[in-house]
Amino acid sequence: MNASLDGLLTGLSLIVAIGAQNAFVLRQGLRGEHVTPIVAFCALADLLLIGAGVAGLAALLGASPALTTLLTAAGAAFLFWYGLRAMSRALRPESLRAARGTEPVTLRSAIAQAAGFTFLNPHVYLDTVLLMGSIGARQPPEMRIWFVGGAACASGAWFTTVGFGSRLLAPLFARPRAWQILDVLIGLTMLILAAMLVHSSV
């Protein structure tokens, strides 16, 4: 069972950080839009990526610089686009009530964006597939499934906390200024991440 604990602690150490995916889940949680399917999608995606990494995808990606470069370029473009969108929203701040009532996001669009933040983010592959995969692959074969299970529990618990726990902040985000600050922070995070990806690939 130590493999489960190793997976849980390693997963928490990597996922509990400000990033594009977490920022998106937080914002959708505050808006109260499609929170359950988004949380489920992100947790399931982590499970699949961690499992694939432990099963050998980590070694494949590590041996393919061209694929890594392609993922980096696609991820930087996606983050840059979303960062500009967030900064644009900050120019027209809205209260929580207004945010729920204007420009609703369809379930298909929400899942598509969640997929973009997950699968077009090179950091996901570096952390979830390469790092988690290499750590999990060092476990004895019969314990690897326990490692993946522990890491998946960490992801599920974290996304559930961010997605549904954000509702506790709803009174704060009844003020337009709070939304403006959040969107500026999200926008800056996305743009900085995009710039870091471009810089790392040059």
Side-chain angles (χ1 to χ4, degrees):
M1 297 301 290
N2 286 337
S4 296
L5 183 59
D6 288 345
L8 179 68
L9 296 179
T10 305
L12 286 174
S13 68
L14 292 176
I15 199 172
V16 180
I18 297 174
Q21 190 184 47
N22 288 333
F24 176 72
V25 175
L26 172 64
R27 193 173 199 281
Q28 289 304 116
L30 286 168
R31 287 172 62 96
E33 287 185 335
H34 315 300
V35 181
T36 298
I38 289 173
V39 167
F41 176 87
C42 292
L44 180 59
D46 268 12
L47 170 62
L48 294 175
L49 289 169
I50 294 168
V54 173
L57 185 58
L60 177 62
L61 288 176
S64 179
L67 181 57
T68 301
T69 300
L70 179 62
L71 289 172
T72 298
F78 180 79
L79 292 174
F80 184 75
W81 169 77
Y82 197 87
L84 291 181
R85 283 192 60 192
M87 298 302 284
S88 176
R89 286 195 305 265
L91 296 177
R92 43 184 176 79
E94 54 196 8
S95 67
L96 179 59
R97 180 175 298 177
R100 286 176 174 170
T102 60
E103 299 183 10
V105 178
T106 65
L107 176 59
R108 178 179 296 182
S109 176
I111 294 299
Q113 291 182 61
F117 287 121
T118 301
F119 298 114
L120 291 179
N121 183 0
H123 287 295
V124 169
Y125 293 94
L126 292 174
D127 293 344
T128 307
V129 178
L130 290 176
L131 183 55
M132 292 288 291
S134 61
I135 295 174
R138 289 200 294 266
Q139 298 284 340
E142 69 276 8
M143 300 302 293
R144 290 174 187 172
I145 190 171
W146 293 103
F147 178 88
V148 173
C153 287
S155 294
W158 174 251
F159 287 123
T160 298
T161 300
V162 173
F164 293 100
S166 59
R167 294 179 181 177
L168 298 176
L169 300 175
L172 173 64
F173 283 87
R175 294 179 293 181
R177 177 65 66 180
W179 275 104
Q180 187 176 39
I181 293 173
L182 177 65
D183 279 326
V184 168
L185 291 176
I186 289 176
L188 288 176
T189 298
M190 305 300 179
L191 293 175
I192 290 172
L193 288 172
M196 290 174 61
L197 289 177
V198 172
H199 182 266
S200 67
S201 64
V202 173

